[in-house]
Amino acid sequence: MDGPMAPARNLRIDGDRLWDSLMEMAKIGPGVAGGNNRQTLTDADGEGRALFQRWCEAAGMTMGVDRIGNMFARREGTEEGPAVYLGSHLDTQPTGGKYDGVLGVLGGLEVIRTLNDLGVKTRRPIVVTNWTNEEGTRFAPAMLASGVFAGVHTQDWCEDRTDAEGKRFGDELDRIGWRGDEEVGARRDDIHSFLELHIEQGPILEAEGRDIGVVTHGQGLSWTQVTVTGKDSHTGSTPMPMRRDAGLGMARILQAVNEIALSHAPHAVGAAGHIDVHPNSRNVIPGRVVFTVDFRSPDLSVIEDMEARLRTEGQRIADEMGLGIAFEKVGGFDPVAFDEGCVAAVRGAAERLGYSHMDIISGAGHDACWINRVGPTAMIMCPCVDGLSHNEAEEISKDWATAGTDVLLHAALERAEVVA
Ligand SMILES: [Zn+2]
């Protein structure tokens, strides 16, 4: 026997209906290779939003939209008071898949449809959300509108973001007609819980043969830009002992970066993804190299340790080689520890439903990482084929989508409390 608040094990979502909705949404903003190009605040985004709204209203929900286009479809509870929020994002990368983000929004809708079918009432209202511009490709940064909602960015700053053609976020929002009248973040206190179902976008769950990832943490990130200065000189005529080779300095520092990350195995990672070599000519020893070291870990103290050791090791290597070196922190965000109660609801739901599951750390950023600042939050992940995402070939199975949404249903019901 489950606890009094635990919904019956046989309560399941309709996997076929969920899948049909995913396929229907994927027809809007098709990509060139079977995926989607439904970038934020394009005409296709507007169409996708309209379809989502029609579906929500057909399911008896009322739609609220805030001044930066975040959508909130509400199913009433039997009592007033804070609601359980479910959702993710409908925008995609320019060469994106059909499930990244979309599964979390339409999974939320499927939860409501299931409750309607079975006549299940909840004490707390349930709200299904679509956060504007999660992807951040058209308007940087990613998770922009959930960030404004959570108070990380201001609304003005968000509206002034421009795309590659110089078009403003605020103007494009007006153009597609999705500026609502709700003050952004006005509902912060209305969030009893937020649950985001998302595809893993990595290979771990599939490799481990698990249906469900119970996301306990979001990885933190630190970017340190390193400038190593030597002397440009001829690659042929400069004797080896007289060289001040900034390229070699960088190579030795990157070796240290690798060792530093490995010293915090298995969760810490480190690499330089961006490298500029000057003058970048075949027959000139590099006189200056600028590169950005990307360290990530779910543990803030580990990130701080890696940053500090990069500076000490980098300085030591530069001194040894007669090179100049400068460090500048150019970006980052702190790791996220999701709410224990929400995480337990997800784990308990997977357990009760008999789905194989494991705890997992999100390597990518998600709207949930910002919303966790203003309300108890957790994430559910389902596997994706070969871990592939941000690619039109992104694929999941109907069974995985169904399992993830079943867990979303049961976790939501635990948080919203079924009325007998
Ligand atoms: Zn996403």
Side-chain angles (χ1 to χ4, degrees):
M1 187 64 195
D2 293 316
M5 292 309 165
R9 281 186 190 83
N10 59 3
L11 199 57
R12 305 277 172 149
I13 62 104
D14 182 338
D16 291 328
R17 177 172 56 191
L18 169 67
W19 196 258
D20 289 347
S21 298
L22 287 165
M23 294 307 116
E24 202 58 32
M25 183 60 75
K27 289 180 186 164
I28 299 173
V32 292
N36 275 103
N37 178 7
R38 197 171 52 246
Q39 291 183 70
T40 195
L41 307 186
T42 57
D43 292 347
D45 183 25
E47 265 184 72
R49 288 163 173 270
L51 177 60
F52 173 58
Q53 177 166 21
R54 280 202 302 282
W55 280 340
C56 289
E57 287 172 352
M61 292 191 276
T62 47
M63 184 64 74
V65 182
D66 74 14
R67 290 178 191 148
I68 52 174
N70 291 320
M71 298 172 73
F72 305 99
R74 178 183 173 97
R75 182 186 197 256
E76 294 303 331
T78 57
E79 291 177 20
E80 291 295 311
V84 173
Y85 283 66
L86 315 175
S88 190
H89 60 95
L90 290 174
D91 69 318
T92 76
Q93 291 280 323
T95 52
K98 298 190 281 289
Y99 314 99
D100 171 2
V102 188
L103 177 64
V105 179
L106 300 186
L109 173 65
E110 177 54 36
V111 165
I112 302 298
R113 287 170 165 173
T114 301
L115 299 181
N116 289 347
D117 286 353
L118 303 175
V120 176
K121 291 196 175 82
T122 56
R123 186 157 90 82
R124 298 192 175 83
I126 300 179
V127 176
V128 182
T129 67
N130 167 36
W131 302 107
T132 302
N133 188 32
E134 192 277 342
E135 292 294 357
T137 342
R138 185 171 177 211
F139 301 101
M143 298 123 67
L144 180 60
S146 56
V148 180
F149 183 95
V152 180
H153 316 297
T154 66
Q155 183 182 337
D156 286 348
W157 185 78
C158 165
E159 294 206 27
D160 282 337
R161 306 285 87 211
T162 52
D163 69 6
E165 294 171 18
K167 291 177 179 163
R168 284 177 71 250
F169 177 103
D171 296 340
E172 286 294 280
L173 179 66
D174 287 327
R175 189 187 64 77
I176 68 162
W178 278 93
R179 187 189 292 278
D181 51 16
E182 267 187 32
E183 190 190 320
V184 183
R187 333 174 146 246
R188 264 177 226 160
D189 294 338
D190 187 51
I191 299 183
H192 171 274
S193 318
F194 176 59
L195 300 170
E196 181 170 5
L197 167 64
H198 204 283
I199 63 168
E200 183 197 344
Q201 305 182 285
I204 297 168
L205 293 174
E206 189 185 28
E208 299 280 331
R210 310 292 173 100
D211 301 316
I212 299 292
V214 179
V215 186
T216 58
H217 293 80
Q219 222 169 25
L221 169 164
S222 151
W223 282 343
T224 303
Q225 181 172 289
V226 185
T227 304
V228 179
T229 317
K231 190 171 175 50
D232 306 353
S233 55
H234 199 290
T235 50
S237 52
T238 316
M240 289 300 273
M242 295 178 70
R243 296 179 179 215
R244 289 169 58 215
D245 183 344
L248 180 61
M250 177 186 71
R252 290 185 56 189
I253 293 165
L254 291 187
Q255 181 63 38
V257 164
N258 190 60
E259 284 159 14
I260 290 166
L262 283 173
S263 76
H264 290 288
H267 292 311
V269 290
H274 172 262
I275 296 170
D276 272 332
V277 178
H278 300 273
N280 206 19
S281 171
R282 285 190 178 84
N283 52 7
V284 182
I285 294 163
R288 187 164 62 94
V289 179
V290 182
F291 56 102
T292 301
V293 175
D294 174 314
F295 279 129
R296 299 184 192 219
S297 161
D299 182 338
L300 185 59
S301 68
V302 167
I303 289 187
E304 286 168 350
D305 176 69
M306 293 195 294
E307 282 174 354
R309 281 165 63 193
L310 167 63
R311 285 171 189 249
T312 321
E313 275 297 285
Q315 190 65 57
R316 187 187 61 74
I317 290 165
D319 290 349
E320 232 174 68
M321 299 178 68
L323 299 166
I325 192 162
F327 303 92
E328 184 190 352
K329 181 148 183 186
V330 291
F333 55 79
D334 290 347
V336 173
F338 287 116
D339 176 74
E340 282 180 21
C342 286
V343 171
V346 171
R347 195 183 290 117
E351 196 70 47
R352 197 156 59 236
L353 290 160
Y355 288 125
S356 58
H357 60 89
M358 65 186 282
D359 287 2
I360 193 168
I361 287 156
S362 174
H366 293 287
D367 293 310
C369 298
W370 287 149
I371 303 307
N372 189 53
R373 295 186 172 208
V374 293
T377 294
M379 291 189 75
I380 303 157
M381 279 186 177
C382 76
C384 57
V385 175
D386 295 332
L388 190 67
S389 184
H390 287 190
N391 188 309
E392 293 204 43
E394 175 185 283
E395 210 38 85
I396 64 175
S397 74
K398 193 192 286 188
D399 287 347
W400 289 341
T402 302
T405 309
D406 273 337
V407 171
L408 180 66
L409 168 70
H410 279 247
L413 285 178
E414 182 178 324
R415 302 297 288 181
E417 296 183 17
V418 175
V419 177

